[in-house]
Amino acid sequence: MKRSIKTCKSLKDLEQLRLSLFGKKGSFAKEFAKMKSLPNSEKKDFAQKLNADKELFLNLLNDKKMILESEAIEQEMRDGSVDMTLFDSTPTSGALHPVMETMDKMIEYFVSMNFSIEEGPLVEDDFHNFEALNLPKYHPARDMQDTFYFKDSMLLRTHTSPVQIRTMLKEKPPIRIISPGAVFRRDYDLTHTPMFHQIEGLVVDKEGVVSFANLKFILEDFLKYMFGDVKVRFRPSFFPFTEPSAEVDISCIFCKGEGCRVCSHTGWLEILGSGVVDPNVFDAVGYKDVSGYAFGLGIERVAMLTHKIPDLRSLFEGDLRLLEQFR
Ligand code: PHE
């Protein structure tokens, strides 16, 4: 019997062997039946031996079953019509995430205008994110930015403006940079996610070389590049690190300025913050006799508008059905 199991060639034959041993009318059933007619003194030894045999044969059967099964799978793969090593020839291609695509388009514009790209850390300290940007501790304007704090006054940067400080501390003027990247704020609703992206711009040169007029020109030109034929409006505003400051609006791309739900019936969409660099910022980095301008804008906001995305949160759920629509 042991030999038959070892030389057995198919799972079907093996099942037959199993039945002949362990089936209702199999050898073991017959042997155990014999016990009844044995004298009590012999029953124990007989049962022990029989159980040992049973175990031995069960193991033999199981081992053989495993070998035959894996052989069967291999055979199936060899015979089967599916060649696992063959590449699928249907071309499928990935695509940029709408936020990255929008970011790339912005970068392309500024690089063409001779800006270079700077990056900074996502985990910042209080000095670069606030203090040096004319936002001293307990300054009420810190409330504008709901911050994620770590211990030891470290934090997740709330804007890309700390890269202004890092760049000025490391380089001498003139400066002409943009800085794209992720920023973090405690916000979560239709148009806000705790992580989003901004692009920062900073231009600094000798006193009098760059002015608000340069800022106005470049931002108007940039917004027309991004949104096509729109009107651009500069509105007085406040940022601690710029003086004067302006928020920049474009005429609503949905209603062409008539007034609709997206623009809250104002005809205008708020796009970015900007201004002339505040002298306190230059003091903080030890720059003298210079002037400059800076601006910052949220990339998701632009992506939402140009792609008509109603819920910003959907962009970060990684649902391919949504992302495939932006191929
Ligand atoms: N850092 C500002 C914000 O996050 C934007 C800004 C950048 C405004 C540069 C003015 C100048 O809201």
Side-chain angles (χ1 to χ4, degrees):
M1 195 55 171
K2 282 185 197 161
R3 226 187 124 69
S4 316
I5 293 177
K6 276 191 183 139
T7 55
C8 176
K9 289 259 166 346
S10 75
L11 283 162
K12 216 167 140 196
D13 292 350
L14 192 70
E15 178 61 9
Q16 283 308 317
L17 290 172
R18 192 187 68 82
L19 285 173
S20 74
L21 286 169
F22 295 107
K24 264 193 193 137
K25 290 176 186 154
S27 323
F28 277 95
K30 281 184 193 142
E31 288 299 306
F32 276 111
K34 284 183 192 162
M35 258 178 53
K36 277 189 213 141
S37 49
L38 284 178
N40 275 348
S41 58
E42 286 172 33
K43 274 188 181 159
K44 193 177 162 209
D45 282 355
F46 185 83
Q48 259 174 1
K49 174 152 189 327
L50 212 51
N51 276 327
D53 282 351
K54 193 175 155 187
E55 175 125 354
L56 180 90
F57 278 105
L58 276 175
N59 284 339
L60 280 176
L61 284 169
N62 271 340
D63 291 351
K64 187 68 187 183
K65 191 169 174 211
M66 269 179 4
I67 293 170
L68 288 175
E69 272 174 354
S70 71
E71 278 176 5
I73 290 171
E74 268 174 45
Q75 189 62 35
E76 217 171 276
M77 295 209 327
R78 253 176 274 133
D79 297 349
S81 52
V82 183
D83 178 349
M84 307 287 248
T85 63
L86 209 63
F87 284 108
D88 180 0
S89 58
T90 337
T92 55
S93 59
L96 282 178
H97 190 281
V99 173
M100 289 303 131
E101 174 240 6
T102 308
M103 187 192 276
D104 282 355
K105 194 168 173 200
M106 294 177 177
I107 292 174
E108 213 168 88
Y109 174 83
F110 287 110
V111 167
S112 83
M113 286 300 195
N114 222 10
F115 283 72
S116 50
I117 301 171
E118 281 290 332
E119 281 183 301
L122 306 185
V123 177
E124 264 298 1
D125 53 40
D126 192 87
F127 174 77
H128 293 88
N129 196 81
F130 290 127
E131 201 89 39
L133 288 162
N134 198 27
L135 265 149
K137 289 200 176 61
Y138 313 115
H139 190 294
R142 283 197 184 195
D143 275 357
M144 284 158 69
Q145 309 192 341
D146 273 319
T147 312
F148 288 109
Y149 284 99
F150 298 106
K151 283 188 211 131
D152 316 321
S153 73
M154 296 301 281
L155 45 89
L156 287 174
R157 68 176 186 189
T158 55
H159 50 181
T160 41
S161 301
V163 185
Q164 290 189 29
I165 303 301
R166 288 190 177 272
T167 309
M168 288 192 279
L169 285 174
K170 156 178 104 176
E171 273 159 43
K172 289 201 196 91
I175 303 266
R176 192 175 176 85
I177 57 131
I178 51 161
S179 183
V183 300
F184 306 84
R185 289 184 200 176
R186 292 177 34 186
D187 250 339
Y188 189 68
D189 60 34
L190 274 184
T191 53
H192 297 89
T193 47
M195 185 279 308
F196 62 103
H197 297 81
Q198 284 188 335
I199 191 160
E200 188 85 10
L202 174 70
V203 174
V204 182
D205 210 321
K206 278 197 257 29
E207 179 99 66
V209 175
V210 278
S211 68
F212 201 91
N214 303 112
L215 167 73
K216 198 157 180 269
F217 170 80
I218 200 119
L219 290 181
E220 264 178 30
D221 195 50
F222 164 67
L223 291 170
K224 294 208 158 122
Y225 171 84
M226 289 305 292
F227 292 101
D229 188 22
V230 288
K231 278 188 233 143
V232 177
R233 165 174 98 169
F234 283 69
R235 200 162 29 80
S237 184
F238 173 80
F239 297 102
F241 29 92
T242 48
E243 180 59 37
S245 305
E247 262 168 311
V248 186
D249 303 338
I250 57 167
S251 52
C252 180
I253 54 174
F254 299 102
C255 63
K256 307 266 176 281
E258 298 273 300
C260 68
R261 238 184 34 153
V262 183
C263 61
S264 311
H265 303 282
T266 61
W268 295 96
L269 298 167
E270 186 186 315
I271 300 292
L272 54 80
S274 67
V276 171
V277 179
D278 192 293
N280 288 346
V281 175
F282 288 139
D283 283 348
V285 297
Y287 270 22
K288 281 194 178 67
D289 307 320
V290 291
S291 61
Y293 65 79
F295 57 89
L297 70 151
I299 296 172
E300 276 77 0
R301 173 148 173 82
V302 175
M304 279 183 89
L305 290 171
T306 50
H307 290 292
K308 303 194 167 63
I309 300 162
D311 185 344
L312 180 58
R313 294 169 293 193
S314 63
L315 280 180
F316 301 113
E317 279 161 4
D319 189 332
L320 285 180
R321 290 169 305 179
L322 178 115
L323 296 175
E324 273 170 356
Q325 296 174 36
F326 298 106
R327 272 232 185 112

